[in-house]
Each structure stands twice: as C-alpha cells, then as structure tokens.
Amino acid sequence: MSDAALDLSVMSAGQRAANPLGPAAGPHTQLAQNIALSWLAGSRIIELKTVQLNDRLELSRPCIDITTIGYNTEWSQELRLEESAREYVKASMMIEILGRWLFGQHGLMYREHANASQPEVAAFDTVFDVSVGYDLAGIQSTEIRRWLQRMLDASELIDELRNEIPEEFADYRDVSFRTKISETITLSTFHGTPASEIERICEFLMVEMGFSVVVKMNPPMLGRARLEHLLHETLGYANIEVNPHAYEVNMPFDDAVSMMKRLDAVAARNGKHCGVKFGNTLEVINNGGFLKDRVHYLSGQPLHVIHLALVEQWRGIFGASYPISFSAGVDANNFADCVSMGLVPVTTCTDLLRPGGYGRLKQYLVNLEQAMHRLGARTIDEFIDRTAKTFAQTEMNHANAVLSNTAAVVTRAMNDQRYRYESNTRPPRKIGSHLALWDCINCDKCIPVCPNAANFTIAVEPVTVTYRNIEITDSGWKEAEEGIFSIAKAGQICTYADACNECGNCDVFCPEDGGPYLEKPRFFGSLESFRRQPKVNGFVLVPGQHEMVMMGRSSGTEYELYIDAHRRTIVFQTPQARVTLEPGTQRVLDAVNLSPAPRVHVDLSLYYVMATLMGGTLRTDRMNFINAAFAVKEE
C-alpha cells in the first residue's frame, strides 16, 4: 500500500487509477490468480492479455527466453474466448473481495467518484484494460463482438460466478460487483497491418462498440537507419538482426501521425478517449538455440531505449498532453523516470519474468515514492514539475515540464551503461547438475519466475525405504528383487499442468539443467485434462466415495493408486496387476494378476512416488493448486 501522504493517482483514458503501475498484456495477465497477485503487489492499471478470434493456436515451445535481455514467440491468449472472459471477470471479483477482506470499505476496487484529495480512500482504484487483435475481420466477428459486450456488461457471468465463491468468503457473495470490467481497449495488430485497416478497427471499437482505444505502435516506425543506429552503435547489440521484412510492412511514422489525428477527431465526436502505446516488441532473426521459430520478438533493455526515442519523436509532433501508454524494458530503476515523463500507464512484463516475479513490483512504487519525497512532491503532477525544475534548473509550466523530462530521460537512457550490450551478456548461473524427479537444490527460483504461477512446493517426509518388488505367477505372488526409494529433502517442487504453458522461463533461471516444467512431478487439475494429454507424464487426484484416487502416467503407461478408507487399505494398480498394501507399514497384503500372461513383474517404485506425492499435495500446511481444490470441494 502506498504512503498515505502521497497521491500517486493518475487518469487513464478517463478513468482514475491509484497509481500508473501494472503488468503489460502478456503471460502474467491471462489467469485470474496472476492478475490478483499483481494487484496485491501494487498494480493498479492491469493490461489483460490479448484475445483474438482464433483461440485454438498451436505455438512452439519453449516461447520465452530471458537469459540476458528478452525474447519471446508468445502472442495472444492461450485460452478459449469463453475461458478468457471467465478469468478476467473472476479476477475483477477476486480483487474486489480481497480489497474488502484485507482493507474493509477502503479497499473498494472501483469508485464512481474517486477523490484525489483523499489518497487513503483512492488507494485501491484499479483499471482493467483489455487487448484485442489482430485484424478487422476477426475483431468485427460475432464472437469478438459478444466477448467485448461481456466486458462492458458482465452481470450475467458475475451472477454465475458468485456460486463459486468459497464458503470462507460467503459474506461477499452478494457484493454489488462492478459489471463493467473494462471500457478501454489497447489494440494489437499483426506486424504489417495497413494503417487504413488499423483506422477502421479503431473506428469500429469506438463508434460501434463504445470503447476508448489505445493503438500499440511498432519499433520500425523509427525508420531503419535510426533504429539500427540505436540498436547497433549506441547500445552495442551488433548481434541482433532486425527482420528486414519488418521495415517493409510496418506502418511508417508519418502514416501513424496522420491516422491518429483523424482518430482523435472520431474519439472527440463520440465522447471517447484515444491514445498510443509505445509499444510493441521488435521482430528479430533468431540466432540462438533455445527458441525454435526463425523470427522471435525482442523485449527488455534495448527495447526500452528504442521506445523512449519514439516517445520523444511523437511528442515533437503532438506535444505534452497527448496520452501515451508505455511498456518496454520497464523496471524498478526506470519506473520513476517514466512517470516523470507523464506516461500513463507504465507497465512491465520482461522484468516480472526474472527472479522475484510479482514481488519485484513493490520496489517500483518504493522508488517512486522516495523520489517524490526527495522533491517534496505530493502528487504525480507535482513530481513531474519538480523533476523538470531539477533537470533544467528553472521554473516552467506543466506541459514544458513533461517535454523537458522526456528529453532528459531519453538522453540519460541512451548513455546509461545498463542498457548496453556489455552489461547484459551474463546468463543466469548453471551449476552443472541435472534435475531429477526429487531433491533439487531448493532455491525456489522457478516459482516466482513462472508467469502463470504454475510451479509450487509440497512438503514431504525425507525417507529412505528398502522395498521388494512383486512377482505374480499362477501359483500366487512372492517378493522379488529389492529396490530403494529415497528422498533427502522435505521441500519438493511440482508443476500444475493446467497452468503451465511450457514457456521455458523456469528452465532459464533454474541453476540445474533440464527444466522444472519437464522434470518435476506434473499435476493435472482434472481427469479430463489428464486424458487430453495422453503422451505427457503426470498425475491427477480424483475423489471417490470411500477413497482418494490418484492416476499416474509414466512413459505412456498409466497407473492407479487409491486409499480405501472403508477397508483401510491402499491399492496400487498397473495395467497388468493389482497390489494391496497396508497403510503405515507399506506391507504387501495381496497381489493379483490382471493380465493373460502367466507371470507378471510389478515394480513398486512408482507406488512410492505416487504415495509420496499424494500425501505431500494433500497436506494443508502449504496450500497449492491441488489441495486448494479439494478444500473447496470439502466445504
């Protein structure tokens, strides 16, 4: 929560937000729990992940590489349109509940009339910005129209979701949740979409659908000569090759200027707001080995400087008052500078993919507040004006202060060593060992760097067990050769398959090789999702009437483990056999051949794996995707 002596609130497309910070539309803003986490970390303008008509994409994996700067091949939502709508509405409701639960009536997410003179009252005002793409035909489709209408009035879905509010928060089921989830759209179009088509899309969104619109701009607008001079000579990234096709197909700067002037007039006639966002990622040729596509998209430190240059060029035409959203290489160390330029919102993505994840957001606001205190500024406008006075050593009006700060920040960034190639060549440290199912080094870096919060820890009892496998013949069963099952550490990493998109970011930052999302136990949220991926190893827990059942899959073979509370036994079943064990002692009580073969060998190693995972995930001292789901079902 911000310092109550300061008012960090800003206006964004006619809506008041408690501060200008938030996650950019991307991997962090497609699932409800992630959006809620970003809000808890301080975000108040949240750009929801882009949706499009084609919601059944097959994308290459991995798709994120933040080894040094930032590259990705990820775009658009990975959920169905209906699923995205539910996630965004759920997130809005969750934030409203969290605000009230944690902070009482002062924690309301939305207000009709926020009072900036009472920062303690407006500290929770939150704006959701939806993002749609990518062409006119898709955006004008019946499906996208319906989806956008739901963002303007989600009352029907809210009433449906009220029933999913858990018993612990039953008092909030009758809250008058805000039904208008968003009234602003950031438009994301294909690289190469003509200005005429972008203009028609914006007119449709403002005039027919009733949204304010922000148009995302592409780096090639700078022109090849200036962009590559900045990238190669100024910043030193001679190793980065811009896709030549990007210069041929992307909208030129002058065309963008003319288009936005016309769209400003459309917005004014229809009582809407119009602005630009700097901006989009940069298409570059893939010269690495981690991502697979020929072309991938640059983000991070070099993109920060490139888009700052575009902001300065844009302001040279439109002046200080033109609304500009900014997202490019934003982090805790440059957030306050971006705010001093009058940019709203200032959103981040690449930085949240680094160790600490959402926890990094707190320092953004701390640094801004410290800068405001140093200048004796109480509001953002005062901060802008007093920063300009410090830079220029003279008084000036607010518009000139914005322009002065813009020039100063751009110049400083271009000379700042931390954006240069030499400062961004060291990859995360690897220690040479390879991950296994159990017992990594427990650094837990993979947990916050996952943009979908899919990695989690469970607690187990360290143990070393010597057991005997089972052999079943026509004459009965007997013990066979010995095996050893061993776990050395109490904390173990697991992955929730339903939230993991195999982006690979946990692999990048894990000190060991192999990738947690590939090597660690993977849990599915339902039997249906387990069945949908028959080639993927993993586990799923399914409650029964008298037993808890775990299904497991290893190397294409499925196994079943269930605890029969009625009979007080444990049953482990393979495609060939069923083995009954005694709880506690793990003593084999019986074994039955289920196959036509005269002799069956049962390897009990997977039994110990599944029994350990079942016990660990269902413990309630550490909440996770699995035991949380069962806790809700038990209420």
Side-chain angles (χ1 to χ4, degrees):
M1 190 171 178
S2 295
D3 186 332
L6 302 178
D7 177 5
L8 306 185
S9 65
V10 293
M11 296 301 295
S12 178
Q15 304 166 84
R16 182 169 295 280
N19 68 56
L21 175 64
H28 294 91
T29 57
Q30 65 177 334
L31 297 178
Q33 73 266 13
N34 301 12
I35 297 167
L37 282 171
S38 72
W39 184 85
L40 286 169
S43 299
R44 293 298 180 264
I45 303 180
I46 298 172
E47 298 177 350
L48 304 174
K49 190 166 187 181
T50 307
V51 300
Q52 64 159 327
L53 178 61
N54 179 11
D55 60 359
R56 296 179 181 271
L57 298 170
E58 292 293 333
L59 305 175
S60 64
R61 305 296 178 192
C63 58
I64 296 174
D65 181 6
I66 313 296
T67 305
T68 52
I69 45 177
Y71 299 100
N72 73 84
T73 57
E74 182 186 52
W75 56 295
S76 188
Q77 88 274 24
E78 294 164 286
L79 305 175
R80 305 291 180 257
L81 281 167
E82 173 63 24
E83 293 171 332
S84 291
R86 293 180 70 87
E87 291 298 311
Y88 299 164
V89 175
K90 278 195 294 186
S92 177
M93 295 172 70
M94 286 169 63
I95 289 172
E96 184 77 32
I97 291 170
L98 285 168
R100 291 170 182 264
W101 180 56
L102 294 171
F103 307 107
Q105 290 300 309
H106 290 303
L108 294 179
M109 176 180 174
Y110 305 104
R111 315 173 188 281
E112 292 298 322
H113 304 288
N115 187 345
S117 68
Q118 295 179 295
E120 73 281 5
V121 174
F124 299 92
D125 293 342
T126 304
V127 172
F128 274 14
D129 175 74
V130 299
S131 179
V132 297
Y134 286 90
D135 61 6
L136 179 62
I139 291 172
Q140 287 186 329
S141 67
T142 300
E143 294 86 346
I144 294 295
R145 285 175 187 260
R146 187 183 303 122
W147 192 91
L148 290 174
Q149 287 166 349
R150 182 173 279 187
M151 293 298 102
L152 291 172
D153 182 6
S155 53
E156 184 177 335
L157 184 50
I158 287 172
D159 287 339
E160 178 186 336
L161 290 170
R162 289 181 194 276
N163 297 324
E164 296 186 15
I165 296 174
E167 191 62 35
E168 181 182 357
F169 298 98
D171 291 346
Y172 301 101
R173 288 174 182 160
D174 295 327
V175 165
S176 296
F177 294 104
R178 174 172 171 166
T179 58
K180 182 180 286 186
I181 304 303
S182 177
E183 54 192 276
T184 314
I185 289 174
T186 294
L187 175 64
S188 187
T189 53
F190 291 119
H191 293 269
T193 303
S196 59
E197 183 173 353
I198 295 174
E199 189 167 352
R200 289 170 64 196
I201 294 171
C202 293
E203 290 172 347
F204 165 73
L205 293 173
M206 287 190 286
V207 178
E208 293 193 40
M209 298 305 301
F211 284 86
S212 293
V213 175
V214 175
V215 183
K216 190 184 291 187
M217 298 295 179
N218 294 326
M221 284 173 52
L222 272 177
R224 183 170 192 161
R226 188 166 187 223
L227 192 158
E228 296 196 2
H229 176 78
L230 281 175
L231 187 63
H232 298 154
E233 277 74 41
T234 302
L235 299 176
Y237 293 94
N239 61 316
I240 296 177
E241 179 186 358
V242 179
N243 183 14
H245 186 62
Y247 298 115
E248 299 170 9
V249 300
N250 276 286
M251 179 170 52
F253 185 87
D254 291 343
D255 288 359
V257 168
S258 300
M259 179 187 74
M260 294 310 301
K261 286 180 178 179
R262 292 190 296 272
L263 288 174
D264 288 342
V266 174
R269 287 196 300 271
N270 289 274
K272 301 301 172 186
H273 297 265
C274 194
V276 294
K277 178 178 181 179
F278 296 106
N280 214 344
T281 50
L282 176 63
E283 282 187 90
V284 298
I285 302 300
N286 184 358
N287 294 318
F290 189 68
L291 304 182
K292 308 307 179 189
D293 291 359
R294 174 184 169 272
V295 172
H296 56 192
Y297 301 93
L298 172 71
S299 62
Q301 295 90 322
L303 195 68
H304 183 75
V305 176
I306 289 168
H307 273 304
L308 284 179
L310 269 170
V311 169
E312 185 176 36
Q313 188 171 331
W314 192 263
R315 287 223 163 118
I317 304 295
F318 286 89
S321 61
Y322 198 90
I324 298 178
S325 167
F326 189 83
S327 180
V330 175
D331 60 28
N333 294 314
N334 58 35
F335 174 68
D337 280 347
C338 293
V339 173
S340 79
M341 295 167 62
L343 303 172
V344 177
V346 180
T347 57
T348 183
C349 179
T350 300
D351 190 50
L352 300 184
L353 293 165
R354 296 192 167 103
Y358 300 102
R360 300 172 73 90
L361 288 170
K362 177 184 176 181
Q363 196 62 44
Y364 289 52
L365 295 172
V366 168
N367 289 354
L368 173 60
E369 290 174 348
Q370 289 176 347
M372 292 174 70
H373 278 303
R374 284 195 297 269
L375 296 174
R378 192 184 69 84
T379 67
I380 295 297
D381 281 353
E382 285 182 4
F383 173 62
I384 292 170
D385 295 344
R386 297 187 184 193
T387 299
K389 183 178 180 182
T390 301
F391 278 145
Q393 296 296 305
T394 185
E395 296 278 358
M396 61 186 75
N397 63 34
H398 186 71
N400 286 335
V402 169
L403 296 176
S404 174
N405 291 347
T406 299
V409 169
V410 172
T411 299
R412 188 162 60 191
M414 289 184 180
N415 292 291
D416 192 332
Q417 189 65 31
R418 74 188 192 93
Y419 299 116
R420 296 175 182 269
Y421 171 77
E422 312 88 72
S423 300
N424 296 290
T425 59
R426 183 180 296 176
R429 187 171 72 97
K430 296 287 185 180
I431 61 176
S433 58
H434 196 285
L435 287 173
L437 191 70
W438 306 108
D439 293 338
C440 61
I441 65 172
N442 276 4
C443 66
D444 289 351
K445 286 183 178 179
C446 62
I447 294 174
V449 301
C450 175
N452 287 340
N455 296 324
F456 62 95
T457 61
I458 61 172
V460 301
E461 295 296 329
V463 66
T464 297
V465 176
T466 301
Y467 61 90
R468 286 190 175 274
N469 293 316
I470 301 299
E471 189 173 280
I472 311 171
T473 65
D474 292 340
S475 59
W477 65 272
K478 63 179 181 178
E479 293 182 340
E481 78 284 356
E482 286 187 349
I484 296 177
F485 177 77
S486 179
I487 296 179
K489 298 181 179 180
Q492 299 293 332
I493 301 292
C494 298
T495 297
Y496 185 57
D498 292 16
C500 175
N501 65 359
E502 299 187 353
C503 71
N505 199 49
C506 61
D507 187 7
V508 169
F509 289 102
C510 178
E512 300 188 79
D513 297 320
Y517 74 106
L518 296 174
E519 301 291 346
K520 291 301 178 180
R522 172 175 290 211
F523 279 89
F524 293 88
S526 67
L527 189 58
E528 179 186 7
S529 63
F530 178 77
R531 295 288 185 219
R532 274 201 305 265
Q533 301 188 55
K535 296 182 180 179
V536 178
N537 292 343
F539 307 90
V540 62
L541 279 166
V542 184
Q545 185 175 1
H546 296 295
E547 67 277 331
M548 179 66 72
V549 181
M550 174 181 276
M551 302 291 295
R553 186 187 298 120
S554 178
S555 301
T557 301
E558 291 190 5
Y559 302 84
E560 184 174 322
L561 174 71
Y562 62 89
I563 300 175
D564 190 329
H566 179 67
R567 297 183 178 179
R568 298 182 180 179
T569 57
I570 301 174
V571 176
F572 175 63
Q573 187 163 310
T574 77
Q576 292 79 34
R578 181 173 62 246
V579 179
T580 303
L581 301 96
E582 183 179 55
T585 67
Q586 316 295 321
R587 183 170 62 89
V588 175
L589 302 175
D590 191 21
V592 178
N593 184 356
L594 302 178
S595 77
R599 183 185 300 270
V600 172
H601 181 271
V602 183
D603 183 346
L604 288 181
S605 62
L606 196 63
Y607 159 73
Y608 283 96
V609 168
M610 294 174 69
T612 302
L613 289 173
M614 180 184 285
T617 52
L618 292 178
R619 284 177 56 162
T620 56
D621 52 346
R622 296 190 192 187
M623 295 305 293
N624 56 64
F625 283 104
I626 310 305
N627 60 20
F630 281 95
V632 170
K633 291 173 183 176
E634 290 170 3
E635 289 174 350

